[in-house]
Amino acid sequence: MKRDDRADRLELRSPRLARLRRRAAVAAGLPAGVLAAEAGWRLLRTGCRALADGRERVTGPRPAASERWRPFVLGPDRATRPKPAPTGLELEACLREADAALDGRFTVLGYGTVTVDTDGPGWHHDPVHDFTWPACHHRSLGPVSGRADIKVPWEVSRLQWLVALARAYTYTDDSRYRNGATRLLRSWADANPVGSGPNWTNAMEAGIRATNLVWAAEILADPEFTRLVGGTLRNHGWFILANLEYTPRLTSNHYLADLVGLVHIGGALRHSSAGRFWLRLGSRQLQREILKQFHEDGSNFEASTGYHRLSTELALVGLLALRRLHIPVRPETEARFLSAVEALAVLTKPDGLLPAVGDDDGGLVVGLQSARDARDASPVIAAVSAVSDPRAPEETAVPEMAQWCGAGGRRAPARPAASSFPAGGWYVLTCGPYWCLAECGGVGQLGNGGHGHNDTLSFVLCVDGREIVTDPGTGVYTPDPGLRNRLRATRSHATVEVDGEEQNRFDHGLLFTMQDEDRARVVARSEEAWGRQVVEAVHEGYRRLADPVLHRRRFALDRDGLVISDDIGCRAPHTLVVSFPLAPGVRAEPCDGGTRLYADDGTAVSLVQTAGPELSFRVEEMPWSPAYGRVLSTQVLRATMCVEGPCRWELRFRRLEEAE
């Protein structure tokens, strides 16, 4: 037994060693000024943490004290405004989520429904991998690589299901939901005293949890529940302040979530000096971070469509809270936020979902609508009028989430035929039945590559609304490092791999960093009056080889289909692998002169080579992930070719009826 305990402690310690290795590598490449700022910040944070630890020792594991409450998120007219009217399907999903929560069953990302012992240590348990984290200080805990997924207890402890219980009570007036919400929150608070256990290992989780606590309390409007939430929020505020995920070098969606949490905590407790401080800090930094993390063209700096949606949702909820609190939002901040929402609309595929470019952990912010698909951005887009134009006329029905935010229905603006996001490297080409997203950007996060993939010059193709060429998705993070690295590798994307090397190298033991080596850039772009759109880009990820290789790809899309032209610049022999992952339900069949792709809905596409040395495609199987925690299998077309020097080829994807 003692030997097992030592092994578990060693596994829990290994993430720390990985973090130290990563920090040492990063520090070695920082300019002296940034390194000094990092050192100063870390010294300040150490002092803040020491004060917070002292406070936690004083308070101990006692339940949070009751706290006064000042509602705000539902707006000043919450008492007279009609309550949201969900559709039949939305109401059914809400009641299903609420009933499951009463039984200790929670939906966790792509893993599906898990059962948690809500009267014991179940709040620290990963039932998917049967692993329980100890109830010790949060800085001695972390992910256990290859053993379990800490995102499972994190997801349950974001408490979005509390908002579902509050909504269910509002719709049905059934006291089971009100009493169940209070009982479950007490159970969670007893099992998770501030700073103890896996659910306190980072401030982002505390920030999202606090946001859901505020919304649940205001929707439920129960005095006992509200008093309990108030005391819990104070603990969350002090914890987030002492553990802000900020560095002068890099901030990400984690810091954005920290600030959204502080805004909600400060808004609810704004009668106190601590609450006013949290609110002031959160509101100022939130507006600053929106300008930092979203480019002027609206794209997000994470190089990930999934995290673009998550960060946009965080910005929406945060700015909505500021509006409800009558805190001015700078015009440039609101304009940047609206650009991010517009980017979400343009990046959405014809099937209504975002393409899976880069990582997507499936994270949502507030549980204002049940059974939401993380890749469906329509609830976020519909809620934008609550921030930008609260007087928008109700012309169309809006999703339940947007109704709770106070958004009025608006007609969606017509989509432009083609849209580009140069700062993010995303180019959307559309014409007739064809829709294509070309990925021509870098690794994201200012070169850190935490959520980017080796997908430079890859693409996603839809024909007649059906996805044909796809992105493999994310799979999981720490539970399966091998799968994580395979799905972010070059060979898993619709691009070209050279000599078995990655476009951007990464350490297989460091799952959230990638070297920024490809220096991708667009060298030509044009759009003709009759609908033809062209994007030509190049990357230098293989310049580091003994014989440098330059990969140039040209995307040309019109009513005759999508033409992919590849130029490989080199002087010596190399082995090239060309891959085209196919969406599940699409099967490939060789035919004379090319390959035919048949989708399960009847869509048929021909793939024909029109120039260059012959590429002989074979059909293989590869993992494909529709949601974090869920992995299926799909087909991939691959061709291997050995070249002696520079070469060029051209391929055309075309709807089969037109090809014939």
Side-chain angles (χ1 to χ4, degrees), residues 317-584:
V317 173
L319 293 180
L320 177 62
L322 297 187
R323 181 179 285 277
R324 295 285 191 262
L325 291 163
H326 305 290
I327 295 175
V329 175
R330 300 201 301 267
E332 59 270 27
T333 300
E334 182 172 330
R336 190 66 57 87
F337 165 69
L338 294 178
S339 295
V341 174
E342 183 180 350
L344 275 181
V346 173
L347 290 168
T348 299
K349 298 180 298 175
D351 63 6
L353 300 179
L354 290 168
V357 175
D359 281 344
D360 183 1
D361 71 350
L364 304 174
V365 182
V366 183
L368 294 174
Q369 184 170 325
S370 300
R372 265 206 293 157
D373 189 322
R375 291 171 59 192
D376 179 6
S378 61
V380 176
I381 296 170
V384 66
S385 65
V387 172
S388 64
D389 185 7
R391 297 176 303 279
E394 294 192 6
E395 298 177 353
T396 58
V398 295
E400 182 187 6
M401 174 181 172
Q403 293 184 55
W404 279 111
C405 290
R410 295 193 302 177
R411 289 194 182 96
R415 283 192 187 180
S419 298
S420 62
F421 304 93
W426 295 333
Y427 293 82
V428 177
L429 313 176
T430 64
C431 188
Y434 303 103
W435 185 97
C436 175
L437 172 63
E439 210 293 314
C440 306
V443 299
Q445 288 188 343
L446 305 180
N448 182 64
H451 290 303
H453 287 187
N454 273 329
D455 53 10
T456 308
L457 305 192
S458 69
F459 64 99
V460 173
L461 174 65
C462 298
V463 179
D464 285 331
R466 177 63 161 87
E467 189 174 67
I468 301 297
V469 178
T470 188
D471 186 284
T474 301
V476 293
Y477 290 154
T478 56
D480 190 342
L483 177 65
R484 158 66 169 164
N485 289 322
R486 182 177 178 185
L487 289 180
R488 65 173 175 159
T490 305
R491 186 173 286 211
S492 293
H493 297 85
T495 187
V496 180
E497 178 195 77
V498 180
D499 294 342
E501 296 285 336
E502 296 292 344
Q503 296 172 335
N504 303 279
R505 288 171 292 182
F506 54 80
D507 185 327
H508 287 256
L510 301 178
L511 303 183
F512 300 100
T513 187
M514 184 181 292
Q515 297 186 45
D516 187 13
E517 298 176 309
D518 59 22
R519 290 183 287 278
R521 61 191 183 277
V522 171
V523 295
R525 181 171 179 268
S526 64
E527 182 175 354
E528 316 241 344
W530 51 280
R532 181 179 175 83
Q533 301 142 38
V534 176
V535 173
E536 188 170 349
V538 63
H539 83 83
E540 301 179 9
Y542 296 118
R543 285 278 198 183
R544 67 179 187 271
L545 301 181
D547 175 57
V549 175
L550 187 71
H551 179 201
R552 181 186 298 259
R553 173 168 278 185
R554 182 174 181 267
F555 302 88
L557 186 142
D558 56 26
R559 290 189 175 275
D560 290 329
L562 172 68
V563 176
I564 301 292
S565 305
D566 286 301
D567 278 282
I568 303 297
C570 60
R571 296 183 177 180
H574 293 279
T575 300
L576 312 178
V577 176
V578 183
S579 300
F580 295 127
L582 304 179

